[in-house]
Amino acid sequence: MTEAYQMGKGRLVLAIAALFLSSMCTMGDLVISPIVANLYEVYANEPMWLINLGITGPAIVGLPFGLAAGWFCDRIDKKWIMVTGFAIFTVSSVFRITFQDIHYFVVMRLAATGIGWGITNTAALAILADMFTDDVKHARLVGWYNAAMSIIGAVLASSAGILALNGWTCVFDVYLVSIPVLIMLVVFLPPCPSKPDMAERVGEVYGESRSSAAAVARGLIGAQTTGGRIPRWWEQVIPLAVQVFFVATLYFMIFYMIGVYVADKQLGDEAFVGAITSVMTICTAIGSIVFGGIYRILRNKVYWPALMVIAIGYFVLAAADSQIIAAVMLAIIGFAWPFYFCFFYTYCTEIVPPGKSGLSTSIVASANGLAMAASSQVLTYALEASGGGCAQVYPVFGFVLIVILVVSIVVQRVRSVRLKGCSTGEV
C-alpha cells in the first residue's frame, strides 16, 4: 500500500486528479441524454426492449462487476484493477459508434458505462481509502471526489448537447478525453497492493473508526475480558447497504424523476426541468466540497441533518405551487444529498478490517446502483397505487425517510452503549 504521505506532492496531486477525472466513467451516461429521442428514431425498426437495454441497461450490468472488483481489490493491486476498468470504458466509449448496428451499440454501451463503471467506481473509492487512512482526510477526499464527479457530469452533458447539434453520433466524440486520463492513471497512480488481514480479529468496534487506536483497544479488552464477540465485518456492512438502498431510492426519485414532478404540478416545461437539474448538480458539488469540514465536527452523525432536510423537502414539494419555492427546495435537497452519499462511501471502509475495504465499497456501491434502477419503478407504482399525483405520494416518502432516520439514530445509540460497556467490562 502507498499512503499519501509516502508520495511526493507533485505526484500526489496528479494521482488525485487522475482519480477525480476517472469519475467521467460514472457520469458517462449523461452524454446519451441529449440523443435519447434520436435513438428511438434511428432504431425504430428494432425491438423496443433492445433499445431500452442500450439506454438504461448499463446500470444493472455494472453491479456484478462492481462486486467482483471489490473482491479483487482485497486480493491484488488496486491500481491495475482501476486501469483495467477505465481501459474497458475508454475503448468501448471511443469506438462505440464505429458501426450503427443496434447490437454493436448495445454491447459497447453495456461495456463502457456498465462493466467499466462497475469496476472503476469501486476501485477509485477503494484506492482513496488506501491512500488516506485518517478518517477525516479520507472523508474530505471522498467529498471532493463527489464534487468533481458532479462538475464533470455537468460538463459532459453540456458538451454532448452542443456536439449533438452536428449530428447524434457526434456526442460520442466527447469520450476522446478519456484517453489522456487513462495515461494519467497508468503513470501517476501509486501501487495499491492488497492489505493483510491482520485487523480481521479486531475488525470494527460498533461503528467507531478503525483509525482510532482507543476504539481498537476497547474492543480487544471487551472481547478478551468479558467473552464478548467482535462483529464480523459483513454484519455492519449489510445493514448499511440496506439503508443506502432505501435512502438513495428516495433521493433518486426526486433527482432522476424530477420531470414527473414538474409535469404533475404543472410548474414548467423541459427547459425548467433542465435548469433545476443543473442547479441541484451544482449544489451537490458545493455540499461535497464542504462535507469534509462538517464530517470533522459531526463524524458519524453528519448525515442526520441531511436526511431530515430531504424528508422535509418531500413535504414542501408536495405543497408547493410555485416555481421559486420548488427550485429553492430542490437546491437545498441537492446540497444535502452529499452529506449522506459521501458519508456512506467513507463509513463503509471505516467499519471493516483494511483487507475488506474493497469488497465493502462494492457492496454499498451496488446498493446505490440498485436504488437508481428502482427509483423510477417505485415512483411509478406508487402513483398508480394511490391514483393521485406527487402531492399525494411525496408526504409518504417523507415519512418513510423520517422513520429510517429515527431507526438509524436508535441503532447508533445502542451500539455506542454497547461499546462503552465493552470498555468498562460491563457487557
Side-chain angles (χ1 to χ4, degrees):
M1 175 185 67
T2 302
E3 296 185 10
Y5 69 86
Q6 297 173 315
M7 301 174 61
K9 186 175 181 181
R11 185 177 180 183
L12 175 61
V13 170
L14 291 170
I16 293 174
L19 283 176
F20 286 4
L21 290 171
S22 74
S23 66
M24 71 174 61
C25 186
T26 302
M27 305 305 290
D29 270 345
L30 293 180
V31 170
I32 207 172
S33 298
I35 62 167
V36 169
N38 301 85
L39 294 175
Y40 285 114
E41 180 180 347
V42 172
Y43 298 123
N45 296 325
E46 304 293 344
M48 184 63 68
W49 68 267
L50 190 59
I51 303 173
N52 289 334
L53 179 63
I55 296 172
T56 60
I60 298 298
V61 171
L63 297 182
F65 288 93
L67 289 170
W71 188 85
F72 280 110
C73 278
D74 295 332
R75 285 160 177 79
I76 61 178
D77 195 326
K78 299 176 182 65
K79 171 180 178 175
W80 298 111
I81 296 174
M82 179 70 192
V83 170
T84 299
F86 200 79
I88 292 173
F89 166 74
T90 300
V91 173
S92 303
S93 59
V94 170
F95 291 100
R96 179 175 295 167
I97 205 60
T98 304
F99 305 103
Q100 293 189 24
D101 177 76
I102 182 65
H103 300 92
Y104 179 87
F105 170 78
V106 171
V107 169
M108 292 296 101
R109 281 279 298 159
L110 298 181
T113 52
I115 298 173
W117 161 74
I119 297 173
T120 303
N121 183 61
T122 296
L125 290 161
I127 290 172
L128 284 176
D130 266 14
M131 293 175 63
F132 299 91
T133 54
D134 177 78
D135 60 330
V136 174
K137 291 182 179 178
H138 179 214
R140 183 183 303 119
L141 266 294
V142 170
W144 291 355
Y145 176 85
N146 190 46
M149 186 165 58
S150 299
I151 295 170
I152 289 171
V155 172
L156 288 176
S158 59
S159 299
I162 295 172
L163 290 171
L165 297 176
N166 298 319
W168 71 275
T169 60
C170 294
V171 300
F172 300 110
D173 292 344
V174 75
Y175 287 125
L176 291 172
V177 299
S178 64
I179 297 175
V181 175
L182 177 60
I183 296 173
M184 289 179 65
L185 291 171
V186 173
V187 174
F188 299 118
L189 271 189
C192 295
S194 60
K195 301 177 183 178
D197 260 347
M198 59 183 294
E200 190 76 54
R201 181 166 164 268
V202 176
E204 172 52 32
V205 187
Y206 303 116
E208 292 291 320
S209 166
R210 68 165 182 265
S211 62
S212 170
V216 172
R218 287 196 296 271
L220 285 174
I221 293 172
Q224 292 173 355
T225 61
T226 69
R229 183 179 67 84
I230 298 175
R232 297 183 180 91
W233 67 272
W234 52 266
E235 291 179 331
Q236 296 193 79
V237 174
I238 298 302
L240 174 63
V242 172
Q243 182 198 71
V244 167
F245 173 77
F246 285 107
V247 173
T249 298
L250 289 165
Y251 171 75
F252 291 143
M253 278 193 290
I254 294 178
F255 183 70
Y256 287 114
M257 305 297 290
I258 193 62
V260 175
Y261 167 78
V262 171
D264 182 62
K265 300 282 287 186
Q266 298 182 350
L267 294 178
D269 54 14
E270 290 83 354
F272 179 67
V273 174
I276 58 177
T277 301
S278 298
V279 169
M280 289 185 71
T281 302
I282 293 171
C283 290
T284 294
I286 296 172
S288 299
I289 291 171
V290 302
F291 169 77
I294 305 300
Y295 177 84
R296 182 173 58 84
I297 299 171
L298 298 180
R299 299 298 175 120
N300 293 340
K301 302 180 182 67
V302 69
Y303 71 96
W304 292 3
L307 296 195
M308 181 56 69
V309 166
I310 299 174
I312 293 173
Y314 266 117
F315 293 103
V316 173
L317 291 174
D321 291 316
S322 163
Q323 280 190 344
I324 296 177
I325 294 175
V328 170
M329 192 68 249
L330 289 167
I332 294 173
I333 291 173
F335 178 82
W337 168 242
F339 289 93
Y340 183 72
F341 179 89
C342 299
F343 162 77
F344 71 70
Y345 271 127
T346 301
Y347 187 62
C348 72
T349 62
E350 299 291 335
I351 59 176
V352 298
K356 291 290 187 292
S357 60
L359 189 55
S360 177
T361 299
S362 69
I363 290 173
V364 296
S366 296
N368 189 56
L370 283 174
M372 292 183 189
S375 59
S376 60
Q377 299 295 329
V378 172
L379 180 59
T380 300
Y381 288 136
L383 292 172
E384 290 180 355
S386 69
C390 292
Q392 286 69 45
V393 299
Y394 268 25
V396 177
F397 297 147
F399 177 75
V400 171
L401 202 50
I402 291 174
V403 171
I404 293 173
L405 174 59
V406 171
V407 171
S408 299
I409 293 174
V410 171
V411 170
Q412 202 169 105
R413 291 298 187 189
V414 170
R415 285 178 173 172
S416 178
V417 170
R418 293 178 67 185
L419 173 60
K420 291 178 181 178
C422 283
S423 64
T424 60
E426 296 175 357
V427 175

